[in-house]
Structures are given as structure tokens and as C-alpha cells.
Amino acid sequence: MGGEGKEKFTWKDSNVGLFGSDADKKVKKESATTEPAWKGIGQKVGIRIWRINKFKVEKIPQEEYGKFFSGDSYIVLRTYKEEESDVLLYDVHFWIGKYSTADEYGTAAYKTVELDTFLDDKAIQHREVQANESELFKSYFDFFTIMKGGYDSGFTRVTPDSYKHRLYHVVGEKKQIAVNEIGFKKGNLNSEDVFIVDLGLRIFQFNGETANKDEKFRATQYVQQLRSERMGKPRLDILEEKSISQKHPMYKKLPEGQSKEKGEQPENSPAMLRVTDSSGHRTSMKEISTGLDKSKLDNNDVIICSAPRSIWVWIGGAASVDERKNAMAYAHKYASELTNPFVPITVIPAGKETKEFHEVF
């Protein structure tokens, strides 16, 4: 089970070159065709989500889509069609929680490749890291929520009296709303935003005095959804900051104190690297540019294109099987040494380049 008690992972000590590791050996016993989780998937448009639980792929109930626990790792499959086309297309993401274990996110990475194999290599693969998710990934959900702890600490899996009290920060505009759990402290409230104090069977929505109307409206939708998930049992109070005093019961529930502010993630220096086995030896990686130059894309190899806030792994049409297989592992290894190692990674085959890929050059 994932959880906040775990030590925060360190990328330099990890190896999503995992292939060959203990995690790999355990999951390798199951092939893509015998993995129960993949049965019947990829046949219709929609989102499917699984979490990794003790090396196993475990289905997440649809009513919990969009909620991610920092102690776990997940796999998310989007099946879609482009306009005026009946061809099914796929994006498969593995999401790594801040406190996910090496075994969990290693298995998620491996199983993502396996899922792509199951889908006849038609999926575009993505790595997502908590608090650094791509806009594409977040766009799948009406509410994108990150919660502390592990999946088994959620409200529906514990008794109401043992449910951990949570404080959420609601940010965003219109459709794109993020709900992030923050430290359960009074000093974390402010007048610019909307907050949700979740006590399990009592929920307070706190509207800061200058919070925007989109955040207020969407937060109300979110808390109503929480009540619905809990069979309407929680009492809900929607509070306007300017209309309540410091003696209000909500304030009394929050301990004194304030969490330390986190600075914005730094940008990485642009670069391009070639992943190749053309020398006849094992696959290797070598820098070919200190900037981003589309003319350096070589159809015979895999090219890692490192942009300031993302990494794109371009798979040349004539790249070898080993080059393709090791592409994500090499990108992960490269990212681990960057100023910001947590940026999203996307593996994209030649001919399937997206608008976002072209925009980095």
C-alpha cells in the first residue's frame, strides 16, 4: 500500500532502466496477452485507470477517476478517435506519486510498455510525475485531484471515524480545475483562493474574499460530488470568508501553523541525444546538440529531445527493436540528472508527431 510514511523517492537512485531489475523479473512472468487487466480494453472511446498494488495491475472504479494518491503509481489509458475517422488511437500514461516506491513505479513503467504491446504498438507512451503533469494528462478529468497517502486511505475504504481530515486547495479556471491536498493547517488558507475542509462526514467550502467565480462554482460542484460519493451523508457548509468570524467552527477544526511554500520548478537546458545500437554493441546514448534542431532527427535512431519543461523521445521509423524498447528507460536515466528531473516524458513514433512536439523546436 502506498503512503505518506514512505521516504520520498529519489530519481538518481532509481532505474526505470528497470528492465532486468527485480521488479522486471517479477512482472515479466506475465505476458501482455495474459494480463487480466488488459482484457477487452482499447475497443471503445474513453478513459481507463489502474493502480499498481504489489506488482499487480488493479482496476480503479470509474467514480474515482481523476483522484491520485501521492503514495501510489497508476496507469491511465485514453482511447479516442480523430474527427471524421473510425480508427481508434491511444495515449497511455504512467503516473508516479511523490511517495511511490521504486517497485510500484517500476512496475507501472514496465506495464505501460506491455499495454502498448497489447495495443499493437499503436499507443503514444507518457511518463507523468506528481505536480509536473502534462496539460494533456490533466485535460482528461473534470477535477484533477492529488491526495496525500495511499489508495487504501480513501474515504470509501476506511471507517468514517478513522478518516484522515484533509484540506484541499482549489485552483484553475472554468474547465481546468485542480484540487490539491495541502497541509491541514489554518495558516494555509488565503483570501485569493477556494479551499475545502474535508472532515469525512462534515465538509466546509471556504471561499476566499477575492477568489474567482469559476473556482467557487467548480468547488461547489466538487463538494457536491464528494457528498454524492458518500451517499449524501456528509453535512456541507459553503462559507464566504467575509461573512464568518475567526470563531467559526471551521477555523477551530484547523490546527495553527502554515506549510512552507514550494518554489516553481526550474527549467532544463534544451538538448538532443541519440539512442543507438549502430556500433554493433549494446544500446548507448550520446548528446548530438546543445539546442533543439529538427534537422537532427535521424530516421535510423531514437532521438531524445529535451525541452525546458518536457522531454520528447522521437522513434525513427528504421530504429531497431532494442532502440525502441530502451527509449523510455534512457529518457528516464537522462532526466534523472537534469535540474528538473520530474518533467513529463512522451515517446512518439515518427509520423505521429503532435502539435505540442513541433512547438518545442
Side-chain angles (χ1 to χ4, degrees):
M1 179 181 78
E4 212 67 21
K6 298 177 183 176
E7 183 179 350
K8 180 179 175 181
F9 64 66
T10 55
W11 287 89
K12 293 181 189 293
D13 296 334
S14 69
N15 184 17
V16 169
L18 296 169
F19 307 114
S21 69
D22 289 342
D24 179 31
K25 291 171 186 173
K26 289 186 180 182
V27 296
K28 212 166 190 175
K29 295 176 183 177
E30 298 177 0
S31 69
T33 54
T34 58
E35 169 56 66
W38 307 152
K39 185 176 180 180
I41 65 158
Q43 297 177 14
K44 61 181 181 179
V45 170
I47 301 288
R48 298 288 290 274
I49 304 179
W50 304 265
R51 76 158 179 143
I52 302 303
N53 183 15
K54 298 177 181 177
F55 297 99
K56 299 295 183 182
V57 182
E58 186 175 273
K59 184 180 178 182
I60 295 294
Q62 192 164 358
E63 61 269 19
E64 297 185 16
Y65 283 11
K67 295 180 181 179
F68 297 87
F69 286 87
S70 63
D72 293 320
S73 289
Y74 297 78
I75 295 174
V76 177
L77 171 67
R78 176 179 73 135
T79 304
Y80 67 102
K81 294 179 182 179
E82 292 183 335
E83 289 185 14
E84 300 181 359
S85 173
D86 288 328
V87 178
L88 290 171
L89 302 172
Y90 311 98
D91 281 287
V92 57
H93 305 249
F94 66 97
W95 184 91
I96 304 170
K98 183 178 179 181
Y99 295 93
S100 177
T101 67
D103 285 345
E104 287 168 344
Y105 65 75
T107 303
Y110 182 94
K111 285 293 186 179
T112 294
V113 176
E114 183 185 271
L115 176 54
D116 184 29
T117 300
F118 181 82
L119 296 170
D120 299 322
D121 300 319
K122 293 178 181 178
I124 293 177
Q125 298 174 39
H126 308 260
R127 184 200 76 172
E128 308 282 352
V129 179
Q130 180 181 335
N132 290 264
E133 295 85 1
S134 65
E135 291 303 313
L136 174 66
F137 183 75
K138 291 186 290 187
S139 74
Y140 298 161
F141 311 106
D142 287 341
F143 299 102
F144 179 68
T145 307
I146 296 179
M147 306 171 71
K148 295 183 179 181
Y151 180 78
D152 291 334
S153 66
F155 182 85
T156 58
R157 288 164 295 281
V158 297
T159 57
D161 58 349
S162 63
Y163 177 70
K164 175 193 164 193
H165 294 173
R166 300 177 186 271
L167 175 63
Y168 297 105
H169 184 199
V170 181
V171 290
E173 295 181 358
K174 297 182 180 178
K175 184 170 177 59
Q176 194 62 60
I177 294 289
V179 183
N180 297 317
E181 184 178 356
I182 58 177
F184 196 75
K185 298 177 181 179
K186 186 188 296 184
N188 288 339
L189 300 176
N190 65 54
S191 299
E192 290 77 44
D193 297 312
V194 177
F195 298 83
I196 297 167
V197 180
D198 181 5
L199 307 179
L201 292 177
R202 184 88 185 266
I203 300 172
F204 297 99
Q205 176 182 325
F206 173 85
N207 295 333
E209 189 168 353
T210 60
N212 74 54
K213 63 179 184 353
D214 289 329
E215 289 171 343
K216 291 181 181 181
F217 176 71
R218 297 287 277 151
T220 300
Q221 288 184 315
Y222 185 80
V223 291
Q224 293 290 5
Q225 181 176 297
L226 282 182
R227 289 191 73 243
S228 177
E229 290 170 2
R230 299 172 192 178
M231 310 301 290
K233 294 178 181 178
R235 172 181 167 181
L236 170 62
D237 293 279
I238 298 177
L239 310 173
E240 297 294 335
E241 181 184 18
K242 61 185 177 182
S243 302
I244 60 173
S245 73
Q246 288 296 315
K247 294 181 180 180
H248 191 279
M250 183 207 71
Y251 285 120
K252 293 181 179 179
K253 294 292 184 181
L254 290 163
E256 296 293 337
Q258 184 175 11
S259 302
K260 291 182 180 179
E261 287 191 18
K262 298 175 183 177
E264 189 175 346
Q265 292 281 10
E267 293 188 345
N268 297 319
S269 299
M272 294 178 72
L273 300 96
R274 185 192 311 275
V275 177
T276 181
D277 58 7
S278 60
S279 62
H281 303 293
R282 62 182 183 179
T283 307
S284 62
M285 177 174 61
K286 184 178 180 180
E287 186 173 272
I288 56 174
S289 174
T290 55
L292 293 167
D293 181 354
K294 196 176 291 187
S295 69
K296 294 189 180 296
L297 297 176
D298 186 338
N299 197 53
N300 295 306
D301 295 312
V302 170
I303 307 296
I304 296 174
C305 307
S306 181
R309 294 194 177 276
S310 62
I311 293 176
W312 296 82
V313 187
W314 184 84
I315 310 291
S320 71
V321 173
D322 281 344
E323 290 167 352
R324 293 167 184 262
K325 182 180 71 173
N326 290 297
M328 179 63 84
Y330 271 95
H332 176 91
K333 180 180 178 182
Y334 172 71
S336 70
E337 301 297 329
L338 295 177
T339 304
N340 179 2
F342 308 116
V343 294
I345 298 176
T346 298
V347 179
I348 193 161
K352 291 187 178 180
E353 297 87 351
T354 62
K355 179 184 72 172
E356 291 76 16
F357 173 78
H358 291 297
E359 285 176 348
V360 305
F361 291 94

